[in-house]
Amino acid sequence: MRPLRPLFALAAAFATTATAHAQDVHAAHAAHGTHDAHDTHDTHDTHEVPPADHPGTQRERIEAASQEHPQHAIPDARPPSGHVAPPPPQHVMGAMSPARMIDVMGMDDRARWGRAVFDRFEHGDGRALGWSLRADYGGDVDRVQLRSEGEHADGRTAHGDVELLWSHAVASYWNSQLGVRHDVGEGADRDWLAFGVQGLAPYWLEVAATAYVGSHGRTALRIEAEYEALLTQRWVLQPRIELDAYGKDDPAARTGSGLADAAVGLRLRYEVTRGLAPYVGVEWSRRFGRSAHYAHADGNDADDARWVAGVRLAF
């Protein structure tokens, strides 16, 4: 054990020296941290309490410089879109009744209006005069509609009809229709009760489907569809199709049961104004079944293709 005593004494001395050195370092760090905190606090206080002649924020300095030197003024900031808000109104409108507001703003949905359109008023190969008329009077929800179409040839009406309908809006762009129809022209005149729908289908396709009920169990169906393709602001290409079907044969009216006739047309018009548009086109029509048999018996063709020229009028 005696040989180890010097080693124990040396280790104890080393430990005592290390402990003293650690305490001195800790005290120095503590003193340094206190000094930094004190300095930071003083610096913060210096920034919070500026001197009396402190120039202010950057924006305040810019505004002060602009007032002293207007020629160097910086223009007002603009949003990225470049939009500039309009000036405030000069006259503030006071409170008013709903009726007065409708009158001032012109927003009366119940206002009455009228319109008449000859969608087709044309000659076909110079032999016949054809027409298609629609006239409306009323409001946006309820109105009266007059429809007529037919053909006049050789000094007489070859075929035609007149409809008087009440139209009621049932959905956006769609109206239900109820009324009467009267047939004129060759054969026996017929009267019908009419009901159907008319509106704007997807892709801006104008569609009308009307069912008819007549005396002695007679029934009929007419479907019309047309589309206006805007080639330019004035040139309009209009394809159109019309189908007529009947529930039973009617020899006096020269119509047979089933699909009786179909007409397909293509017209190109130039709109001089919204109310005046001359056009040219071609139309093909055909009769089917018993209706074709009646046409042959009368010395007429079941098929007919012809050039047409006319004018579209709107009032």
Side-chain angles (χ1 to χ4, degrees), residues 59 74-80 82-85:
R59 181 179 181 83
I74 299 176
D76 294 337
R78 293 290 186 270
H83 173 74
V84 179

Side-chain angles (χ1 to χ4, degrees), residues 8-312:
F8 288 150
L10 181 60
F14 179 77
T16 301
T17 304
T19 302
H21 178 71
Q23 291 176 353
D24 293 341
V25 172
H26 179 72
H29 283 190
H32 180 70
T34 304
H35 178 70
D36 288 346
H38 179 70
D39 291 346
T40 304
H41 178 70
D42 292 344
T43 304
H44 179 70
D45 291 345
T46 302
H47 284 283
E48 284 189 346
V49 184
D53 58 348
H54 189 267
T57 63
Q58 182 179 5
R59 181 179 181 83
E60 292 173 350
R61 292 196 300 270
I62 293 175
E63 292 178 353
S66 300
Q67 293 176 1
E68 295 178 2
H69 305 283
Q71 67 275 17
H72 300 297
I74 299 176
D76 294 337
R78 293 290 186 270
S81 63
H83 173 74
V84 179
Q90 298 180 356
H91 304 284
V92 179
M93 300 180 64
M96 61 181 67
S97 64
R100 175 60 178 166
M101 182 177 296
I102 289 173
D103 182 63
V104 171
M105 304 298 291
M107 300 185 301
D108 190 2
D109 295 336
R110 298 167 298 178
R112 296 290 182 263
W113 53 271
R115 179 184 61 182
V117 179
F118 275 97
D119 192 54
R120 299 190 307 279
F121 194 72
E122 62 192 22
H123 268 285
D125 289 339
R127 300 193 310 268
L129 174 66
W131 75 87
S132 175
L133 167 68
R134 191 180 76 181
D136 297 89
Y137 179 78
D140 294 336
V141 177
D142 295 289
R143 61 180 178 268
V144 177
Q145 185 176 95
L146 175 68
R147 295 192 311 205
S148 178
E149 68 174 41
E151 186 175 280
H152 189 82
D154 300 326
R156 57 189 175 86
T157 300
H159 62 86
D161 57 66
V162 180
E163 297 178 82
L164 183 62
L165 306 168
W166 170 66
S167 180
H168 176 73
V170 294
S172 299
Y173 309 111
W174 288 95
N175 300 322
S176 64
Q177 296 179 323
L178 177 65
V180 293
R181 163 184 157 183
H182 177 69
D183 292 346
V184 296
E186 297 178 354
D189 294 344
R190 300 300 184 200
D191 294 311
W192 309 83
L193 177 65
F195 56 94
V197 293
Q198 180 185 34
L200 197 63
Y203 304 102
W204 303 98
L205 184 67
E206 295 187 19
V207 178
T210 310
Y212 304 93
V213 177
S215 58
H216 301 90
R218 298 187 183 93
T219 57
L221 175 66
R222 174 175 293 171
I223 299 176
E224 301 173 83
E226 64 182 35
Y227 177 76
E228 294 189 346
L230 301 180
L231 304 181
T232 68
Q233 292 295 327
R234 294 185 180 273
W235 288 100
V236 181
L237 185 65
Q238 182 188 53
R240 177 180 175 274
I241 184 171
E242 179 178 329
L243 305 174
D244 286 293
Y246 295 88
K248 60 188 301 186
D249 292 342
D250 189 352
R254 317 307 284 169
T255 57
S257 61
L259 179 61
D261 57 76
V264 179
L266 183 65
R267 293 168 174 82
L268 177 65
R269 70 173 184 261
Y270 178 80
E271 295 189 343
V272 180
T273 66
R274 295 295 295 174
L276 176 63
Y279 64 84
V280 295
V282 62
E283 183 170 272
W284 172 82
S285 61
R286 178 178 176 82
R287 308 191 76 180
F288 303 91
R290 295 291 295 177
S291 296
H293 174 76
Y294 293 140
H296 289 305
D298 295 337
N300 299 320
D301 294 330
D303 288 279
D304 184 24
R306 56 184 177 177
W307 294 97
V308 296
V311 60
R312 183 181 186 271

